[in-house]
Amino acid sequence: PRPDGDGGSASIGAGSGWEDRGRRDSGVSRSSAERERVRSVRAGSLVILSLVAARAEAFYSLERERLSLELSGTAKFFPLLTLSPSNALVDRDETVVGFGSLRINGELFLDSASLEVAYHLFPVAGEDVGVTDSSVGAAGPQGGLVAPVVSPLRLIDLDRESSTSDDLVLLQNLDRLGVTLLGPGESEVRIGRQAINHGSARVFSATDIFSPFSPATLDSEYKQGLDALRVTVPLDENQEVELFAIAVDRDLDNSFARGVYLARYRASVPEVFDASVYLGTSYASPTLGVDVSGDLGGATWYAEGGVRVWNESVATDLVEANDITVLPSDEYGTPVRATVGGQYFFPFELDVAGELHWNGAGSTNREDYVETFRRPEWTTGEIFLLGRAYVGTAWSYSSSALTRLSLSTIT
């Protein structure tokens, strides 16, 4: 488990997702943007091989009577090989790139307030990486391998590409810029760019509409920050209520009216189960998400599901904003997404997770996978897979405190 805002979710109870406080239309031609997405998505099997070749960290702390400052930095390097067999959409492809992850974090703490800032830089080197975005951040199974897929849940942002050539791309991300104010009874108000999590699934997120990780993400240490106002009020040590107001890109019409406005209730019954429910609107569409998890023997079980009743006008605008041919207005519907799974921890440092996932926003036939590009869930970065039903596993073995071997499969 990692602290709030990081890739994992620290548990308040067993297996919790709680953060630690501290269609088909053959007559329609594809746009250039849509063709690019076809190239960037591998509908068949995909093998991704990566080894963290280097990692370095630095930390500095300054303490004063009523003030403290913490600065930290992380540098990582990943050599990456992807092997994609030919299929109905694309030819066989082999990609070799090397990418880095350079991050600087800063936190300033006062008596009843704190300021957090973080900047992330992703240098990517490889043949023609500056010509096609298939390996450096497009949505899809390869999407988000290096940097997070650009989320619309930011009011304003830096240009993602700070520098580009044929064989080198520098991607940047101002990932945190926010203030936390402490109130009575351990209540909190967070304003600005921050990470928001939901759900317990390890492979397929069904209820995380807050810029989730792609299943193919290699560097998931930090969750992408969103521009939000968040109020947290604990009811007791096992219950809390949160209110969210999350901005949408100001280039979209009526961006404030089309934001994400949710209320979330979370509760924990110690050593039995945890539950989390959010209800409200996202992109001016009624939205519901439920997550439950618990322990059973030496295993952790979890289930989560979400549904949204799309506002057709807003859904159309979201898709059009990405230069994609729009579906007829009766095609968005009310897709349900759900995941059930479990994880077992063996005594010899091996843990295995298995999940079943239903992606109601996907397509049932492989020949129709391209239609998923025309869904608002795809353009907002909430889904990364094109089909409906999936099975996923995640294996992890730690041979020492410094060495870990991981394997993930999606079918």
Side-chain angles (χ1 to χ4, degrees), residues 21-331:
R21 301 271 317 258
R23 168 200 46 139
R24 177 169 184 169
D25 187 356
S26 58
V28 177
S29 63
R30 301 173 182 170
S31 67
S32 60
E34 188 173 331
R35 288 193 299 271
E36 184 57 36
R37 285 167 175 77
V38 172
R39 287 195 293 269
S40 67
V41 175
R42 311 304 177 193
S45 60
L46 175 69
V47 179
I48 303 171
L49 304 175
S50 179
L51 172 69
V52 178
R55 176 188 174 107
E57 297 183 62
F59 180 83
Y60 172 78
S61 178
L62 174 65
E63 296 284 345
R64 291 294 184 263
E65 183 178 350
R66 302 182 61 182
L67 175 152
S68 65
L69 173 67
E70 293 182 359
L71 299 174
S72 63
T74 304
K76 307 176 191 177
F77 174 73
F78 295 78
L80 175 66
L81 169 64
T82 64
L83 306 175
S84 303
S86 60
N87 54 67
L89 294 180
V90 296
D91 296 328
R92 175 182 173 85
D93 181 60
E94 299 179 3
T95 303
V96 179
V97 300
F99 74 88
S101 172
L102 309 174
R103 184 181 178 98
I104 300 175
N105 304 298
E107 289 189 85
L108 177 65
F109 299 91
L110 302 174
D111 288 342
S112 58
S114 65
L115 169 67
E116 182 181 16
V117 181
Y119 177 80
H120 215 152
L121 185 65
F122 306 89
V124 187
E127 185 178 1
D128 292 336
V129 294
V131 178
T132 173
D133 63 357
S134 63
S135 62
V136 296
Q142 291 196 71
L145 275 176
V146 177
V149 175
V150 178
S151 172
L153 298 178
R154 289 184 173 183
L155 190 60
I156 190 171
D157 207 359
L158 301 175
D159 291 337
R160 175 54 60 99
E161 294 186 2
S162 62
S163 178
T164 302
S165 65
D166 287 354
D167 299 324
L168 176 66
V169 175
L170 289 178
L171 305 176
Q172 64 178 346
N173 178 24
L174 181 58
D175 202 37
R176 302 286 189 275
L177 183 58
V179 174
T180 299
L181 306 175
L182 304 180
E186 298 188 1
S187 60
E188 290 182 354
V189 177
R190 300 186 187 183
I191 307 169
R193 187 155 299 173
Q194 57 188 279
I196 301 175
N197 293 316
H198 192 269
S200 302
R202 278 52 167 172
V203 182
F204 306 110
S205 174
T207 61
D208 189 347
I209 62 175
F210 313 105
S211 188
F213 288 114
S214 161
T217 298
L218 296 175
D219 186 7
S220 58
E221 186 171 356
Y222 293 94
K223 183 81 179 287
Q224 181 172 212
L226 311 175
D227 294 342
L229 168 63
R230 175 180 185 175
V231 179
T232 304
V233 180
L235 304 179
D236 55 38
E237 63 179 5
N238 294 314
Q239 299 180 88
E240 72 177 23
V241 173
E242 291 187 296
L243 303 176
F244 300 93
I246 307 175
V248 174
D249 189 334
R250 65 178 183 170
D251 290 337
L252 295 175
D253 293 338
N254 302 317
S255 61
F256 283 99
R258 297 178 174 190
V260 177
Y261 303 98
L262 299 172
R264 178 165 68 180
Y265 170 76
R266 302 196 289 188
S268 175
V269 179
E271 301 183 4
V272 181
F273 72 91
D274 300 330
S276 177
V277 180
Y278 64 70
L279 178 66
T281 65
S282 59
Y283 308 105
S285 306
T287 306
L288 169 68
V290 179
D291 172 62
V292 293
S293 61
D295 285 344
L296 183 63
T300 296
W301 61 268
Y302 47 88
E304 60 176 275
V307 61
R308 177 191 283 125
V309 183
W310 274 109
N311 178 309
E312 304 294 348
S313 174
V314 176
T316 298
D317 288 348
L318 288 169
V319 176
E320 285 181 330
N322 276 16
D323 190 28
I324 299 174
T325 305
V326 177
L327 287 172
S329 61
D330 61 347
E331 287 297 316

